[in-house]
Amino acid sequence: MGKRDFARPHHVAFFDAMATELPDEYATQEVNHLTLGYFAVGGLSLLRELDRVNRDEITRWVLSFQVHPEAHDTEDNKGLFYGFCGSRSTQFPLPNVKDPCHNVSHLASTYSALAILKNVGYDLANIDSKTLLSSMKKLQQPDGSFMPTHIGAETDLRFMYCAAAICSMLDDWTGMDKLKAKEYILNCQSYDGGFGMVPGSESHGGGTFCAVAALYLMGFVQVDLASNLRDSSSIDIRMLLDWCLQRQVTGGGFQGRRNKPSDTCYAFWVGGVLKIIGAYHLIDHCALREFLLTCQSPYGGFTKFPDGRIPDIYHSYYGLAALSLLEEEGLEPLCVELGILSAAL
């Protein structure tokens, strides 16, 4: 395999295998089964190879994780989030054990489920969005942030993004208070222009993507750079632009934080921010492509860092997604703010 060539057949084989059966090493991530499915199906979608899997079977599999209200729900269950569970182990109770975590739908799993369904062409009008969104709104906290589950967990920009993407894909914003959400996001912008995962934390590539993409989906960020630079009512675009451009470092790749090595996934997370605000043309496209191609595994897929050998599904998906933003030949265009194919909109 030529290191500087995009090894499309190897990547097709890798994602085909991942969509069929995950290796044993992923057993510890069973609770994230739907999210792993999103990466596998998303990879085949980007490669224009989705016909290798049965879309109807995938649709049934995804829908089997949805939580529905039951007639015998108790007062304790009235705060349940009726989204999607991440796996079978979070879907059913253990025998003879009072398990508060069973039937726990999760914002990240719900985002993954809806994104998979969009990519395979399922009509989301068939989803009971009213129940899903009315229960999701109960996860929003007084400061505007979101808990990912009804039983409580950390609140940060990851789940804010998931909530915004869910509302956008369902074309219904009754699931959140957008003004409170915007206030929380703005409180996460750091002194240097990037966004931390929570207010007062260090700027981070993933958190910055979640913040900017959520604001864009909510209508608080414009579609071109000139308009964003003129509009000072939202985030500080000049500082954000400076922070993002500084993340492309020697070697062409992107780092997620200052003084960190380049990492395959940040070519999407930080590159995606620049794409959303209309500044993607300001990066060195050729250097970024060269960096990504050095992260290809000889077995297909991508590694986290250059010249690695063993790929993982997370970096493999985001390596493809980053190359899609670069308009790599043979890859499907991506709707960057939703993480689904542009054709799926």
Side-chain angles (χ1 to χ4, degrees):
M1 180 180 71
K3 264 292 184 184
R4 302 302 179 187
D5 297 325
F6 177 57
R8 189 179 186 281
H10 293 74
H11 300 314
V12 171
F14 173 81
F15 279 100
D16 192 17
M18 292 292 108
T20 303
E21 184 175 0
L22 288 167
D24 293 345
E25 289 76 11
Y26 290 90
T28 57
Q29 298 186 45
E30 193 273 340
V31 294
N32 299 316
H33 204 170
L34 260 182
T35 301
L36 296 173
Y38 163 74
F39 294 140
V41 173
L44 288 176
S45 301
L46 285 170
L47 289 161
R48 299 172 178 164
E49 293 287 347
L50 201 53
D51 289 341
R52 290 174 173 266
V53 294
N54 186 312
R55 297 184 190 216
D56 290 337
E57 286 185 1
I58 289 174
T59 297
R60 287 192 295 271
W61 178 73
V62 171
L63 292 175
S64 73
F65 290 101
Q66 189 174 10
V67 177
H68 300 279
E70 298 181 14
H72 60 271
D73 275 354
T74 65
E75 284 293 320
D76 292 338
N77 288 342
K78 285 194 173 179
L80 281 176
F81 169 40
Y82 296 110
F84 289 77
C85 295
S87 68
R88 295 288 177 241
S89 66
T90 58
Q91 190 173 23
F92 300 112
L94 295 171
N96 305 316
V97 176
K98 185 176 175 62
D99 180 10
C101 293
H102 87 269
N103 231 18
V104 172
S105 50
H106 193 285
L107 278 177
S109 302
T110 302
Y111 162 77
S112 297
L114 297 182
I116 293 172
L117 293 172
K118 289 285 281 186
N119 274 337
V120 301
Y122 181 76
D123 185 357
L124 294 187
N126 294 317
I127 298 285
D128 182 1
S129 60
K130 182 178 179 180
T131 298
L132 191 159
L133 293 171
S134 62
S135 64
M136 186 179 84
K137 193 168 187 178
K138 297 174 184 176
L139 300 178
Q140 191 168 19
Q141 304 301 294
D143 65 356
S145 64
F146 274 84
M147 289 194 307
T149 74
H150 75 278
I151 60 173
E154 69 270 31
T155 60
D156 60 49
L157 286 175
R158 294 173 298 171
F159 309 122
M160 176 67 71
Y161 168 73
C162 289
I166 288 165
C167 289
S168 179
M169 285 189 280
L170 293 175
D171 195 22
D172 185 342
W173 287 91
T174 60
M176 67 188 309
D177 183 326
K178 290 201 288 186
L179 291 178
K180 287 175 65 176
K182 175 186 176 183
E183 182 181 358
Y184 178 80
I185 294 172
L186 297 185
N187 285 334
C188 291
Q189 189 167 25
S190 184
Y191 70 93
D192 57 5
F195 287 77
M197 283 294 185
V198 296
S201 61
E202 180 185 9
S203 295
H204 183 275
T208 301
F209 175 87
C210 290
V212 175
L215 288 171
Y216 179 81
L217 291 169
M218 290 188 282
F220 297 126
V221 172
Q222 306 301 316
V223 296
D224 64 279
L225 182 59
S227 297
N228 282 317
L229 290 172
R230 284 196 305 269
D231 179 16
S232 59
S233 63
S234 188
I235 55 180
D236 189 325
I237 289 288
R238 285 179 173 82
M239 288 182 63
L240 171 65
L241 176 61
D242 184 59
W243 185 87
C244 288
L245 291 176
Q246 287 185 35
R247 301 285 70 74
Q248 188 173 26
V249 294
T250 303
F254 279 85
Q255 59 184 188
R257 291 178 287 162
R258 293 180 185 274
N259 302 315
K260 294 290 184 179
S262 301
D263 178 332
T264 302
C265 68
Y266 293 111
F268 173 79
W269 295 125
V270 182
V273 172
L274 292 167
K275 192 83 167 181
I276 290 170
I277 66 174
Y280 198 66
H281 61 286
L282 297 176
I283 68 170
D284 188 333
H285 290 208
C286 291
L288 178 57
R289 182 178 184 271
E290 284 298 307
F291 169 80
L292 289 169
L293 295 185
T294 64
C295 294
Q296 293 181 114
S297 165
Y299 309 112
F302 290 76
T303 57
K304 182 174 182 175
F305 301 123
D307 301 319
R309 296 189 64 80
I310 307 302
D312 68 84
I313 196 168
Y314 173 85
H315 289 92
S316 296
Y317 172 77
Y318 285 114
L320 286 185
L323 285 167
S324 174
L325 297 185
L326 288 168
E327 301 180 1
E328 181 72 30
E329 185 178 355
L331 291 180
E332 193 71 15
L334 185 71
C335 172
V336 61
E337 65 272 16
L338 283 176
I340 60 176
L341 298 186
S342 297
L345 296 176

